[in-house]
Each structure stands twice: as structure tokens, then as C-alpha cells.
Amino acid sequence: MRASLLARLDDPEPWDFLVVGGGATGLGTAVEAACRGYRTLLVEQHDFAKGTSSRSTKLIHGGVRYLQQGNLSLVLEALHERGLLLRNAPHLVHNLSFVVPTYDWWEGPFYGVGLKLYDMLAGRMGLGPSRFLSREQTLEIIPTLEPGGLRGGVIYHDGQFDDARLAVTLLRTLLGLDGAALNYMPVVSLLKESGLVRGAVVRDAETGTEREVYARAVVNATGIFADDLRRMDEPASEPILALSQGIHLVLDRSFQPGDSAILVPHTDDGRVLFAVPWHGRVIVGTTDTPLSERSLEPRALPEEIDFLLTHIARYLTRDPSPADVLSCFAGLRPLVRAAEGTKTAALSRDHTLLISPSGLVTITGGKWTTYRRMGEDTVTQAALLAGLPEFPSGTAELRLHGWSAEVESTADWAVYGSDAVALSRLAEERPEWRQPLHPRLPYRLCEVVWAARHEMARTVEDVLARRTRALLLDARASAEAAPIVARLMAAELGKDEEWEQRQVEEYRALARSYWL
Ligand SMILES: Cc1cc2nc3c(=O)[nH]c(=O)nc-3n(C[C@H](O)[C@H](O)[C@H](O)COP(=O)(O)OP(=O)(O)OC[C@H]3O[C@@H](n4cnc5c(N)ncnc54)[C@H](O)[C@@H]3O)c2cc1C
């Protein structure tokens, strides 16, 4: 697959769109461009969704918090996009109920009214009405909720998804629209003519080979690295980003059995706290810590871990300890800077589109939920700027790769959508590939082979962190599964034993940083 995509880089005809960055924003922009009929190439320096886009809270939501902040236009836009995603990717996004437990007399009416407004804003795209719960009903839905002082709760609905799987799905959608995409292909410099950006030099990280690629429109969708690309374009450009770290802890399902999430609307630092069931575990998050260092592998700070453990312990009957944490992952939000002294929690989650004098289009900020809208705005602006013929957007109606009316998003292999049939055929071909990857992980060996053959997985990490979510579900189990993944990948990609060994070592070093 990689060889045929690399061959497309040799075509001397310039691309209409070169999109730099393979996270939610870049993939959304590339799908939008290809769907409108533009010749589109996306390049990603590491793996698709390696950055912030695999480290979210996994919610497709309007954002109850933005409602609290009074940002109604952001909530409205996100609720609309939530509705589109449920329609266009039912195999990846599903309706999830959230319980807001109430311990003070005023909390029920206060949050109840706010959530009714949330229902109203969703309108016909709503996922179900919010309603008040008695104390007994609340405990029936979340039996492990702290009962001392509990008065009742409010239940409402939002969307949940698998972020890295949606990224892989967008990648497959892009390829299906005759777009091209390559991971492990960083942009190392920009190509300019008469002060205008005309393309980029990309380096194949696997071989070191550099190539020039030309394009009429170049989009910078590099997330937390957006300022680096802006500086490649114009060394004197002012930074526009402020980074904020958010971490999550993954716990065993016994801490919070049942199918509903908990939302704590007000933590000590004025944020919301979620405890969300996901792939048979519970994800607790998140934090909002201003940081200045950019990294593809950010690390949770001890005070962030303490904060989450202390806060969630107030709401659960069993207090989780560091030893109970199956995995701990951190992500960096690329927020656009505001005036001096503004806290990152108060910075805008709206997206920002900037056009530099050279014509480089930078798109940043926003949320996973609004990736399609960000892509639409970006392509409209960039096409106009590049003098490309105008075509209308079609992504609001575009069914994403694997779309199926039959697949329930909670079924086995649901994330593959209609591909699940081909995947099970693969398992029939070689019965040993039906074997589980690891006794504590919900994956089978055939998924490794599938990822290498059809989803552009190039390393053990690609498979264990993003094609499957083993690293997040149980970091130790994923490290134990690394040798068998390396063996299968080596056979698929034609690699030798030395490669296998190196892959296992590198993956284990990474996995160790996900357990406490
Ligand atoms: C803790 C946390 C929780 C969140 N929860 C939610 C949620 O529940 N719901 C929601 O809707 N949103 C959520 N978000 C927001 C959402 O995750 C982000 O808005 C989104 O993932 C940003 O995507 P991106 O593509 O802009 O950035 P990224 O995903 O970081 O992608 C940028 C990519 O560019 C690549 N790149 C950088 N430089 C180069 C180069 N020179 N050449 C080639 N490639 C390059 C990087 O490797 C990276 O993969 C959350 C964010 C955080 C941090």
C-alpha cells in the first residue's frame, strides 16, 4: 500500500491541495478537499492521529462546559456536527447517557434547566431528552456512586466515539475518494516562488529520501506544531498557540459498572470531570495545565494524577489508587492565544483560520467534534485563495468508510463497520489468527494483519496504540502482546528479526510511560 502511494509522489502534476498534519483537522480538511474533487495529498510526520487526536475524552459533544461559559454558537455548531457524525459514521459514534449527580439542593434545578437548554439547542438532532432522577434512580444507573449526601441527579445524552479509529476511517475515506496520504512523511521545509508558498520538501522517515511536492494550496494542520510550520514559512512570525495539557486515567470497569457516564460539573479548579465507560474500561478525565513544551508524547504530571484520583474518589464508593490505573495518557490542546494573563481553561475552543502573506493557510483550535466544519471552512478559503475552480461541499452527506446500517456501534468489531465481514473472512482463512492478542485485551491476531494490510500501520506502536487501543486499555498487557504483534507485522511488511526486536524494545519503553 505504501509503495503505491509513494509512487503517486512522482507524478510531476502539482496537487491542488497539500495538507500537512494527519490528525482530526488535517484528515477532515483532506477529505473535504478530495470530496469536492480536488487532487489532494496529506502528509503526516509520524502516524495518523499520533498527536492530540488519539488522546481525547472520546466524546462527540456540544460541550456542556461551553454552555456554562455562554458560548452558544460553539455549542450549536458542535451539536449540529454531532448529528451529522451519528448519521455518517454510525459504526463509530453512538449515543451515551450521562448522569450529573446532585448533592446540594440547588444543583438539580440549576443543571436541569441548563441541560434542557442543551436539548433545545440540539433540536431535531437531539439524542434523547434530559430528565431528573430520584436518588434511587441515580443509584440504580450508577450503583457505585457515593451515596452519602446524594439527593438525585439529572440524566442527559451526548455522543461517544473512538478517536484514533475515526482518524483511520477518515484516512480510508480519503483514499476511497482518490486522495493520497502518507504517514512517516514529515514536511522539512516549504517551497516558495516569488514569496508565495508552492509546496514542500517531505522526507520519508523510513528511508531518509527527500522529495519536493508542489501544490496550489498548502494547509498547515499540524496542531501543537502549527507555529513551527508558520516559522518555516516566515521565520519572524509571532507564535499564535498556547498549549494546555489534559490527562486521563483508565480504570477497570468494576469502579463504575453500567453503561452510563458520570459528569461532575464543577471541580475545585472550575472544570468539568468525566468518568466514561469505553471499550470495557472507565476513562477519568481531564485536566487543564498550561505547558510550554511541545511533544508528541506528553507526560502526565504527578499533580494532575493526584487531582484526578482525589476528585473521582469523592464520587465513587471505591477510591482508586495509582496501582488501579491501567493506563494514563496525556494530550496537548492547541489553543489560540488570548490576551496576557488569560487562563487556558478560558481560552477559545473555536477554530481559527489564518492566511499568511505567502498564502500558507493555518487551521487550528477547534475540537474533534467539529473537524468536518473546520475542513469545510479551510477548503473554501484555501481554494478561493489559490484560484481553484469552486465546488460545493458534500461532506455533510458523505458516509464515511465502513458505513453500515446494520452494524451496532457497540457490537464486536463495530469500529470496522462493513469491513468486519472481510476481517472475519481473514480469520477463517487462518484459524490461528482468531486467537486473542492477549487474555486481558479485546482484540484478535487478525486485527494486526488487517492493520498492516489495509490501514497503513507501519510499527508495533501503530497497531497497539491507534489501530487497536490496547495501550490505553491496559498498558502492561499491551507490552506483553508486543512480541506477537512484531512477529505478525514483520511477516506482513517483509522485515527481519532485528527489526522485530527493535520494535518490541521501543514499544515496551513507550508503554512503560503509560503505567504509574
Ligand atoms: C485532553 C483532551 C481531551 C479532548 N477531548 C475531546 C473530546 O472529548 N471531544 C472533542 O471533540 N475534542 C476533544 N479534544 C480536542 C481534540 O482532540 C483536538 O481538537 C483535535 O484532536 C486536534 O486535532 P489536530 O489535527 O488539530 O491536531 P493533532 O491531532 O495533534 O494533529 C496534528 C498532526 O500534525 C503532525 N505534524 C506536525 N508537524 C508536522 C510536519 N512538519 N509534517 C507533517 N506532519 C506534522 C503531527 O504529528 C500530528 O499528528 C480534546 C483534547 C485534549 C487535549
PDB file of all heavy atoms in Angstrom, residues 20-21 23-25 43-45 51-53 56-59 61 186-187 221-223 225 246 248 286 296 331-333 366-369, ligand 1:
ATOM      1  N   VAL A  20      -0.761  19.379   5.496  1.00  0.00           N
ATOM      2  CA  VAL A  20       0.315  18.933   6.390  1.00  0.00           C
ATOM      3  C   VAL A  20      -0.291  18.643   7.762  1.00  0.00           C
ATOM      4  O   VAL A  20      -0.838  19.544   8.405  1.00  0.00           O
ATOM      5  CB  VAL A  20       1.423  20.005   6.522  1.00  0.00           C
ATOM      6  CG1 VAL A  20       2.628  19.434   7.269  1.00  0.00           C
ATOM      7  CG2 VAL A  20       1.822  20.544   5.157  1.00  0.00           C
ATOM      8  N   GLY A  21      -0.194  17.385   8.209  1.00  0.00           N
ATOM      9  CA  GLY A  21      -0.722  17.001   9.522  1.00  0.00           C
ATOM     10  C   GLY A  21      -1.847  15.996   9.359  1.00  0.00           C
ATOM     11  O   GLY A  21      -2.816  16.261   8.661  1.00  0.00           O
ATOM     12  N   GLY A  23      -3.893  14.594  11.809  1.00  0.00           N
ATOM     13  CA  GLY A  23      -4.828  14.454  12.932  1.00  0.00           C
ATOM     14  C   GLY A  23      -6.239  14.748  12.434  1.00  0.00           C
ATOM     15  O   GLY A  23      -6.495  14.759  11.220  1.00  0.00           O
ATOM     16  N   ALA A  24      -7.145  14.999  13.379  1.00  0.00           N
ATOM     17  CA  ALA A  24      -8.547  15.264  13.029  1.00  0.00           C
ATOM     18  C   ALA A  24      -8.663  16.390  12.012  1.00  0.00           C
ATOM     19  O   ALA A  24      -9.389  16.287  11.006  1.00  0.00           O
ATOM     20  CB  ALA A  24      -9.313  15.630  14.300  1.00  0.00           C
ATOM     21  N   THR A  25      -7.919  17.471  12.245  1.00  0.00           N
ATOM     22  CA  THR A  25      -8.066  18.666  11.416  1.00  0.00           C
ATOM     23  C   THR A  25      -7.546  18.423   9.995  1.00  0.00           C
ATOM     24  O   THR A  25      -8.214  18.760   9.016  1.00  0.00           O
ATOM     25  CB  THR A  25      -7.295  19.832  12.064  1.00  0.00           C
ATOM     26  OG1 THR A  25      -7.703  19.914  13.437  1.00  0.00           O
ATOM     27  CG2 THR A  25      -7.574  21.139  11.376  1.00  0.00           C
ATOM     28  N   VAL A  43       0.229  14.679   4.228  1.00  0.00           N
ATOM     29  CA  VAL A  43       1.434  14.042   4.790  1.00  0.00           C
ATOM     30  C   VAL A  43       1.451  14.227   6.309  1.00  0.00           C
ATOM     31  O   VAL A  43       1.078  15.276   6.827  1.00  0.00           O
ATOM     32  CB  VAL A  43       2.752  14.603   4.193  1.00  0.00           C
ATOM     33  CG1 VAL A  43       2.929  14.154   2.761  1.00  0.00           C
ATOM     34  CG2 VAL A  43       2.836  16.112   4.306  1.00  0.00           C
ATOM     35  N   GLU A  44       1.878  13.162   6.986  1.00  0.00           N
ATOM     36  CA  GLU A  44       1.916  13.154   8.456  1.00  0.00           C
ATOM     37  C   GLU A  44       3.337  12.754   8.883  1.00  0.00           C
ATOM     38  O   GLU A  44       3.889  11.777   8.358  1.00  0.00           O
ATOM     39  CB  GLU A  44       0.864  12.166   8.972  1.00  0.00           C
ATOM     40  CG  GLU A  44       1.068  11.672  10.399  1.00  0.00           C
ATOM     41  CD  GLU A  44       1.120  12.775  11.457  1.00  0.00           C
ATOM     42  OE1 GLU A  44       0.268  13.671  11.442  1.00  0.00           O
ATOM     43  OE2 GLU A  44       2.055  12.727  12.302  1.00  0.00           O
ATOM     44  N   GLN A  45       3.910  13.475   9.839  1.00  0.00           N
ATOM     45  CA  GLN A  45       5.312  13.205  10.213  1.00  0.00           C
ATOM     46  C   GLN A  45       5.502  11.872  10.942  1.00  0.00           C
ATOM     47  O   GLN A  45       6.546  11.239  10.845  1.00  0.00           O
ATOM     48  CB  GLN A  45       5.855  14.336  11.083  1.00  0.00           C
ATOM     49  CG  GLN A  45       5.165  14.480  12.431  1.00  0.00           C
ATOM     50  CD  GLN A  45       5.791  15.546  13.322  1.00  0.00           C
ATOM     51  OE1 GLN A  45       6.843  16.069  13.005  1.00  0.00           O
ATOM     52  NE2 GLN A  45       5.144  15.877  14.420  1.00  0.00           N
ATOM     53  N   GLY A  51      -0.750  12.540  17.398  1.00  0.00           N
ATOM     54  CA  GLY A  51      -0.769  13.727  18.262  1.00  0.00           C
ATOM     55  C   GLY A  51      -2.024  13.763  19.131  1.00  0.00           C
ATOM     56  O   GLY A  51      -2.505  12.723  19.622  1.00  0.00           O
ATOM     57  N   THR A  52      -2.571  14.948  19.285  1.00  0.00           N
ATOM     58  CA  THR A  52      -3.708  15.173  20.177  1.00  0.00           C
ATOM     59  C   THR A  52      -4.909  14.297  19.807  1.00  0.00           C
ATOM     60  O   THR A  52      -5.692  13.903  20.674  1.00  0.00           O
ATOM     61  CB  THR A  52      -4.099  16.664  20.096  1.00  0.00           C
ATOM     62  OG1 THR A  52      -2.919  17.435  20.310  1.00  0.00           O
ATOM     63  CG2 THR A  52      -5.129  17.035  21.134  1.00  0.00           C
ATOM     64  N   SER A  53      -5.037  13.971  18.533  1.00  0.00           N
ATOM     65  CA  SER A  53      -6.260  13.315  18.067  1.00  0.00           C
ATOM     66  C   SER A  53      -6.474  11.880  18.542  1.00  0.00           C
ATOM     67  O   SER A  53      -7.525  11.304  18.286  1.00  0.00           O
ATOM     68  CB  SER A  53      -6.321  13.368  16.538  1.00  0.00           C
ATOM     69  OG  SER A  53      -6.407  14.720  16.129  1.00  0.00           O
ATOM     70  N   SER A  56      -8.069  12.201  23.205  1.00  0.00           N
ATOM     71  CA  SER A  56      -9.226  12.988  23.652  1.00  0.00           C
ATOM     72  C   SER A  56     -10.024  12.227  24.706  1.00  0.00           C
ATOM     73  O   SER A  56      -9.696  11.085  25.041  1.00  0.00           O
ATOM     74  CB  SER A  56     -10.119  13.309  22.455  1.00  0.00           C
ATOM     75  OG  SER A  56     -10.882  12.182  22.110  1.00  0.00           O
ATOM     76  N   THR A  57     -11.106  12.854  25.184  1.00  0.00           N
ATOM     77  CA  THR A  57     -12.007  12.198  26.148  1.00  0.00           C
ATOM     78  C   THR A  57     -12.976  11.270  25.422  1.00  0.00           C
ATOM     79  O   THR A  57     -13.785  10.612  26.050  1.00  0.00           O
ATOM     80  CB  THR A  57     -12.746  13.270  26.981  1.00  0.00           C
ATOM     81  OG1 THR A  57     -11.787  14.233  27.446  1.00  0.00           O
ATOM     82  CG2 THR A  57     -13.439  12.702  28.191  1.00  0.00           C
ATOM     83  N   LYS A  58     -12.904  11.211  24.107  1.00  0.00           N
ATOM     84  CA  LYS A  58     -13.703  10.317  23.251  1.00  0.00           C
ATOM     85  C   LYS A  58     -15.173  10.721  23.214  1.00  0.00           C
ATOM     86  O   LYS A  58     -16.059   9.862  23.134  1.00  0.00           O
ATOM     87  CB  LYS A  58     -13.587   8.819  23.671  1.00  0.00           C
ATOM     88  CG  LYS A  58     -12.270   8.369  24.275  1.00  0.00           C
ATOM     89  CD  LYS A  58     -11.111   8.443  23.343  1.00  0.00           C
ATOM     90  CE  LYS A  58      -9.829   7.976  24.000  1.00  0.00           C
ATOM     91  NZ  LYS A  58      -8.630   8.523  23.367  1.00  0.00           N
ATOM     92  N   LEU A  59     -15.444  12.009  23.286  1.00  0.00           N
ATOM     93  CA  LEU A  59     -16.829  12.490  23.230  1.00  0.00           C
ATOM     94  C   LEU A  59     -17.077  13.299  21.967  1.00  0.00           C
ATOM     95  O   LEU A  59     -16.245  14.117  21.574  1.00  0.00           O
ATOM     96  CB  LEU A  59     -17.127  13.364  24.452  1.00  0.00           C
ATOM     97  CG  LEU A  59     -16.907  12.691  25.808  1.00  0.00           C
ATOM     98  CD1 LEU A  59     -17.228  13.657  26.939  1.00  0.00           C
ATOM     99  CD2 LEU A  59     -17.754  11.427  25.921  1.00  0.00           C
ATOM    100  N   HIS A  61     -19.475  15.865  21.249  1.00  0.00           N
ATOM    101  CA  HIS A  61     -20.412  16.575  22.120  1.00  0.00           C
ATOM    102  C   HIS A  61     -20.524  18.063  21.793  1.00  0.00           C
ATOM    103  O   HIS A  61     -19.616  18.655  21.211  1.00  0.00           O
ATOM    104  CB  HIS A  61     -20.006  16.387  23.588  1.00  0.00           C
ATOM    105  CG  HIS A  61     -18.634  16.887  23.924  1.00  0.00           C
ATOM    106  ND1 HIS A  61     -18.246  17.126  25.217  1.00  0.00           N
ATOM    107  CD2 HIS A  61     -17.565  17.171  23.153  1.00  0.00           C
ATOM    108  CE1 HIS A  61     -16.993  17.548  25.212  1.00  0.00           C
ATOM    109  NE2 HIS A  61     -16.556  17.585  23.981  1.00  0.00           N
ATOM    110  N   PRO A 186       7.421  13.581   7.221  1.00  0.00           N
ATOM    111  CA  PRO A 186       7.374  14.972   7.685  1.00  0.00           C
ATOM    112  C   PRO A 186       7.667  15.984   6.590  1.00  0.00           C
ATOM    113  O   PRO A 186       8.451  15.695   5.675  1.00  0.00           O
ATOM    114  CB  PRO A 186       8.467  15.025   8.762  1.00  0.00           C
ATOM    115  CG  PRO A 186       9.387  13.915   8.433  1.00  0.00           C
ATOM    116  CD  PRO A 186       8.553  12.835   7.791  1.00  0.00           C
ATOM    117  N   VAL A 187       7.064  17.152   6.712  1.00  0.00           N
ATOM    118  CA  VAL A 187       7.471  18.303   5.902  1.00  0.00           C
ATOM    119  C   VAL A 187       8.699  18.891   6.587  1.00  0.00           C
ATOM    120  O   VAL A 187       8.654  19.208   7.782  1.00  0.00           O
ATOM    121  CB  VAL A 187       6.338  19.349   5.835  1.00  0.00           C
ATOM    122  CG1 VAL A 187       6.861  20.706   5.419  1.00  0.00           C
ATOM    123  CG2 VAL A 187       5.265  18.888   4.852  1.00  0.00           C
ATOM    124  N   ALA A 221      -2.034  21.998   9.102  1.00  0.00           N
ATOM    125  CA  ALA A 221      -2.964  21.441  10.097  1.00  0.00           C
ATOM    126  C   ALA A 221      -2.145  20.626  11.085  1.00  0.00           C
ATOM    127  O   ALA A 221      -2.444  19.464  11.355  1.00  0.00           O
ATOM    128  CB  ALA A 221      -4.011  20.588   9.394  1.00  0.00           C
ATOM    129  N   THR A 222      -1.082  21.234  11.600  1.00  0.00           N
ATOM    130  CA  THR A 222      -0.111  20.484  12.404  1.00  0.00           C
ATOM    131  C   THR A 222      -0.363  20.590  13.914  1.00  0.00           C
ATOM    132  O   THR A 222       0.515  20.266  14.705  1.00  0.00           O
ATOM    133  CB  THR A 222       1.330  20.937  12.078  1.00  0.00           C
ATOM    134  OG1 THR A 222       1.397  22.363  12.214  1.00  0.00           O
ATOM    135  CG2 THR A 222       1.735  20.569  10.674  1.00  0.00           C
ATOM    136  N   GLY A 223      -1.558  21.023  14.312  1.00  0.00           N
ATOM    137  CA  GLY A 223      -1.918  21.018  15.731  1.00  0.00           C
ATOM    138  C   GLY A 223      -0.946  21.836  16.559  1.00  0.00           C
ATOM    139  O   GLY A 223      -0.659  22.995  16.246  1.00  0.00           O
ATOM    140  N   PHE A 225       2.054  21.880  16.594  1.00  0.00           N
ATOM    141  CA  PHE A 225       3.266  22.284  15.872  1.00  0.00           C
ATOM    142  C   PHE A 225       2.994  23.387  14.847  1.00  0.00           C
ATOM    143  O   PHE A 225       3.869  23.699  14.030  1.00  0.00           O
ATOM    144  CB  PHE A 225       3.894  21.071  15.172  1.00  0.00           C
ATOM    145  CG  PHE A 225       4.272  19.969  16.127  1.00  0.00           C
ATOM    146  CD1 PHE A 225       3.419  18.897  16.353  1.00  0.00           C
ATOM    147  CD2 PHE A 225       5.470  20.012  16.820  1.00  0.00           C
ATOM    148  CE1 PHE A 225       3.752  17.890  17.250  1.00  0.00           C
ATOM    149  CE2 PHE A 225       5.813  19.008  17.718  1.00  0.00           C
ATOM    150  CZ  PHE A 225       4.958  17.953  17.933  1.00  0.00           C
ATOM    151  N   GLY A 246      -4.108  17.983  28.951  1.00  0.00           N
ATOM    152  CA  GLY A 246      -5.204  17.287  29.631  1.00  0.00           C
ATOM    153  C   GLY A 246      -4.827  15.823  29.749  1.00  0.00           C
ATOM    154  O   GLY A 246      -4.342  15.230  28.787  1.00  0.00           O
ATOM    155  N   HIS A 248      -5.797  11.689  31.197  1.00  0.00           N
ATOM    156  CA  HIS A 248      -6.876  10.752  31.539  1.00  0.00           C
ATOM    157  C   HIS A 248      -6.278   9.548  32.252  1.00  0.00           C
ATOM    158  O   HIS A 248      -5.164   9.131  31.925  1.00  0.00           O
ATOM    159  CB  HIS A 248      -7.570  10.248  30.274  1.00  0.00           C
ATOM    160  CG  HIS A 248      -8.308  11.324  29.534  1.00  0.00           C
ATOM    161  ND1 HIS A 248      -7.706  12.113  28.594  1.00  0.00           N
ATOM    162  CD2 HIS A 248      -9.590  11.740  29.618  1.00  0.00           C
ATOM    163  CE1 HIS A 248      -8.593  12.971  28.122  1.00  0.00           C
ATOM    164  NE2 HIS A 248      -9.741  12.776  28.720  1.00  0.00           N
ATOM    165  N   THR A 286     -10.793  15.356  32.796  1.00  0.00           N
ATOM    166  CA  THR A 286      -9.437  15.590  32.401  1.00  0.00           C
ATOM    167  C   THR A 286      -8.897  16.812  33.144  1.00  0.00           C
ATOM    168  O   THR A 286      -9.618  17.365  33.991  1.00  0.00           O
ATOM    169  CB  THR A 286      -9.308  15.757  30.864  1.00  0.00           C
ATOM    170  OG1 THR A 286      -7.974  16.036  30.493  1.00  0.00           O
ATOM    171  CG2 THR A 286     -10.243  16.788  30.308  1.00  0.00           C
ATOM    172  N   LEU A 296       5.223  15.022  21.073  1.00  0.00           N
ATOM    173  CA  LEU A 296       4.260  14.043  20.563  1.00  0.00           C
ATOM    174  C   LEU A 296       3.911  13.021  21.634  1.00  0.00           C
ATOM    175  O   LEU A 296       2.961  12.279  21.504  1.00  0.00           O
ATOM    176  CB  LEU A 296       4.836  13.323  19.336  1.00  0.00           C
ATOM    177  CG  LEU A 296       4.643  13.993  17.981  1.00  0.00           C
ATOM    178  CD1 LEU A 296       5.294  13.161  16.887  1.00  0.00           C
ATOM    179  CD2 LEU A 296       3.179  14.237  17.649  1.00  0.00           C
ATOM    180  N   GLY A 331      -2.607  14.536  26.592  1.00  0.00           N
ATOM    181  CA  GLY A 331      -2.695  15.184  25.275  1.00  0.00           C
ATOM    182  C   GLY A 331      -2.558  16.688  25.429  1.00  0.00           C
ATOM    183  O   GLY A 331      -2.827  17.227  26.510  1.00  0.00           O
ATOM    184  N   LEU A 332      -2.128  17.335  24.362  1.00  0.00           N
ATOM    185  CA  LEU A 332      -1.954  18.796  24.419  1.00  0.00           C
ATOM    186  C   LEU A 332      -2.965  19.486  23.507  1.00  0.00           C
ATOM    187  O   LEU A 332      -3.079  19.139  22.327  1.00  0.00           O
ATOM    188  CB  LEU A 332      -0.532  19.165  23.982  1.00  0.00           C
ATOM    189  CG  LEU A 332       0.571  18.728  24.942  1.00  0.00           C
ATOM    190  CD1 LEU A 332       1.943  18.880  24.290  1.00  0.00           C
ATOM    191  CD2 LEU A 332       0.520  19.535  26.235  1.00  0.00           C
ATOM    192  N   ARG A 333      -3.700  20.428  24.074  1.00  0.00           N
ATOM    193  CA  ARG A 333      -4.661  21.192  23.268  1.00  0.00           C
ATOM    194  C   ARG A 333      -3.942  22.355  22.595  1.00  0.00           C
ATOM    195  O   ARG A 333      -3.279  23.136  23.272  1.00  0.00           O
ATOM    196  CB  ARG A 333      -5.764  21.795  24.154  1.00  0.00           C
ATOM    197  CG  ARG A 333      -6.562  20.811  24.949  1.00  0.00           C
ATOM    198  CD  ARG A 333      -7.556  21.508  25.866  1.00  0.00           C
ATOM    199  NE  ARG A 333      -8.224  20.535  26.718  1.00  0.00           N
ATOM    200  CZ  ARG A 333      -7.762  20.125  27.889  1.00  0.00           C
ATOM    201  NH1 ARG A 333      -6.642  20.614  28.375  1.00  0.00           N
ATOM    202  NH2 ARG A 333      -8.428  19.227  28.593  1.00  0.00           N
ATOM    203  N   GLY A 366     -10.342  24.424  17.755  1.00  0.00           N
ATOM    204  CA  GLY A 366     -11.490  23.554  17.480  1.00  0.00           C
ATOM    205  C   GLY A 366     -11.485  22.294  18.319  1.00  0.00           C
ATOM    206  O   GLY A 366     -10.781  22.192  19.332  1.00  0.00           O
ATOM    207  N   LYS A 367     -12.296  21.321  17.901  1.00  0.00           N
ATOM    208  CA  LYS A 367     -12.448  20.069  18.646  1.00  0.00           C
ATOM    209  C   LYS A 367     -12.596  18.939  17.624  1.00  0.00           C
ATOM    210  O   LYS A 367     -12.923  19.190  16.470  1.00  0.00           O
ATOM    211  CB  LYS A 367     -13.744  20.050  19.473  1.00  0.00           C
ATOM    212  CG  LYS A 367     -14.134  21.361  20.055  1.00  0.00           C
ATOM    213  CD  LYS A 367     -15.159  21.254  21.136  1.00  0.00           C
ATOM    214  CE  LYS A 367     -16.507  20.760  20.711  1.00  0.00           C
ATOM    215  NZ  LYS A 367     -17.259  20.254  21.865  1.00  0.00           N
ATOM    216  N   TRP A 368     -12.450  17.721  18.075  1.00  0.00           N
ATOM    217  CA  TRP A 368     -12.691  16.576  17.188  1.00  0.00           C
ATOM    218  C   TRP A 368     -14.108  16.687  16.618  1.00  0.00           C
ATOM    219  O   TRP A 368     -14.339  16.493  15.419  1.00  0.00           O
ATOM    220  CB  TRP A 368     -12.599  15.259  17.978  1.00  0.00           C
ATOM    221  CG  TRP A 368     -11.559  14.298  17.511  1.00  0.00           C
ATOM    222  CD1 TRP A 368     -10.531  13.803  18.267  1.00  0.00           C
ATOM    223  CD2 TRP A 368     -11.441  13.664  16.224  1.00  0.00           C
ATOM    224  NE1 TRP A 368      -9.790  12.913  17.502  1.00  0.00           N
ATOM    225  CE2 TRP A 368     -10.330  12.806  16.257  1.00  0.00           C
ATOM    226  CE3 TRP A 368     -12.162  13.749  15.034  1.00  0.00           C
ATOM    227  CZ2 TRP A 368      -9.928  12.037  15.161  1.00  0.00           C
ATOM    228  CZ3 TRP A 368     -11.762  12.989  13.929  1.00  0.00           C
ATOM    229  CH2 TRP A 368     -10.664  12.138  14.006  1.00  0.00           C
ATOM    230  N   THR A 369     -15.057  17.005  17.486  1.00  0.00           N
ATOM    231  CA  THR A 369     -16.470  17.061  17.085  1.00  0.00           C
ATOM    232  C   THR A 369     -16.692  17.944  15.856  1.00  0.00           C
ATOM    233  O   THR A 369     -17.552  17.653  15.031  1.00  0.00           O
ATOM    234  CB  THR A 369     -17.306  17.597  18.270  1.00  0.00           C
ATOM    235  OG1 THR A 369     -16.994  16.823  19.428  1.00  0.00           O
ATOM    236  CG2 THR A 369     -18.797  17.535  17.991  1.00  0.00           C
TER     237      THR A 369
HETATM  238  C1  LIG B   1      -7.205  16.122  26.894  1.00  0.00           C
HETATM  239  C2  LIG B   1      -8.031  16.421  25.681  1.00  0.00           C
HETATM  240  C3  LIG B   1      -9.341  15.959  25.606  1.00  0.00           C
HETATM  241  C4  LIG B   1     -10.114  16.244  24.479  1.00  0.00           C
HETATM  242  N1  LIG B   1     -11.376  15.718  24.398  1.00  0.00           N
HETATM  243  C5  LIG B   1     -12.137  15.981  23.318  1.00  0.00           C
HETATM  244  C6  LIG B   1     -13.413  15.379  23.195  1.00  0.00           C
HETATM  245  O1  LIG B   1     -13.834  14.574  24.020  1.00  0.00           O
HETATM  246  N2  LIG B   1     -14.156  15.698  22.121  1.00  0.00           N
HETATM  247  C7  LIG B   1     -13.712  16.571  21.156  1.00  0.00           C
HETATM  248  O2  LIG B   1     -14.461  16.858  20.228  1.00  0.00           O
HETATM  249  N3  LIG B   1     -12.470  17.119  21.224  1.00  0.00           N
HETATM  250  C8  LIG B   1     -11.678  16.833  22.264  1.00  0.00           C
HETATM  251  N4  LIG B   1     -10.407  17.345  22.348  1.00  0.00           N
HETATM  252  C9  LIG B   1      -9.912  18.193  21.257  1.00  0.00           C
HETATM  253  C10 LIG B   1      -9.407  17.376  20.068  1.00  0.00           C
HETATM  254  O3  LIG B   1      -8.748  16.225  20.485  1.00  0.00           O
HETATM  255  C11 LIG B   1      -8.459  18.266  19.238  1.00  0.00           C
HETATM  256  O4  LIG B   1      -9.129  19.452  18.914  1.00  0.00           O
HETATM  257  C12 LIG B   1      -8.027  17.594  17.946  1.00  0.00           C
HETATM  258  O5  LIG B   1      -7.593  16.285  18.156  1.00  0.00           O
HETATM  259  C13 LIG B   1      -6.896  18.419  17.314  1.00  0.00           C
HETATM  260  O6  LIG B   1      -6.542  17.790  16.110  1.00  0.00           O
HETATM  261  P1  LIG B   1      -5.413  18.374  15.185  1.00  0.00           P
HETATM  262  O7  LIG B   1      -5.460  17.594  13.922  1.00  0.00           O
HETATM  263  O8  LIG B   1      -5.573  19.846  15.074  1.00  0.00           O
HETATM  264  O9  LIG B   1      -4.054  18.117  15.959  1.00  0.00           O
HETATM  265  P2  LIG B   1      -3.213  16.760  16.070  1.00  0.00           P
HETATM  266  O10 LIG B   1      -4.071  15.596  16.308  1.00  0.00           O
HETATM  267  O11 LIG B   1      -2.132  16.990  17.056  1.00  0.00           O
HETATM  268  O12 LIG B   1      -2.604  16.574  14.614  1.00  0.00           O
HETATM  269  C14 LIG B   1      -1.542  17.342  14.110  1.00  0.00           C
HETATM  270  C15 LIG B   1      -0.618  16.409  13.366  1.00  0.00           C
HETATM  271  O13 LIG B   1       0.340  17.139  12.635  1.00  0.00           O
HETATM  272  C16 LIG B   1       1.517  16.364  12.567  1.00  0.00           C
HETATM  273  N5  LIG B   1       2.653  17.210  12.195  1.00  0.00           N
HETATM  274  C17 LIG B   1       3.241  18.169  12.938  1.00  0.00           C
HETATM  275  N6  LIG B   1       4.278  18.732  12.272  1.00  0.00           N
HETATM  276  C18 LIG B   1       4.341  18.102  11.078  1.00  0.00           C
HETATM  277  C19 LIG B   1       5.202  18.221   9.947  1.00  0.00           C
HETATM  278  N7  LIG B   1       6.219  19.080   9.925  1.00  0.00           N
HETATM  279  N8  LIG B   1       4.985  17.413   8.885  1.00  0.00           N
HETATM  280  C20 LIG B   1       3.969  16.516   8.872  1.00  0.00           C
HETATM  281  N9  LIG B   1       3.128  16.353   9.934  1.00  0.00           N
HETATM  282  C21 LIG B   1       3.313  17.145  11.008  1.00  0.00           C
HETATM  283  C22 LIG B   1       1.621  15.795  13.978  1.00  0.00           C
HETATM  284  O14 LIG B   1       2.458  14.669  14.030  1.00  0.00           O
HETATM  285  C23 LIG B   1       0.159  15.489  14.304  1.00  0.00           C
HETATM  286  O15 LIG B   1      -0.189  14.149  14.056  1.00  0.00           O
HETATM  287  C24 LIG B   1      -9.583  17.039  23.443  1.00  0.00           C
HETATM  288  C25 LIG B   1      -8.261  17.494  23.515  1.00  0.00           C
HETATM  289  C26 LIG B   1      -7.482  17.156  24.613  1.00  0.00           C
HETATM  290  C27 LIG B   1      -6.060  17.598  24.675  1.00  0.00           C
END
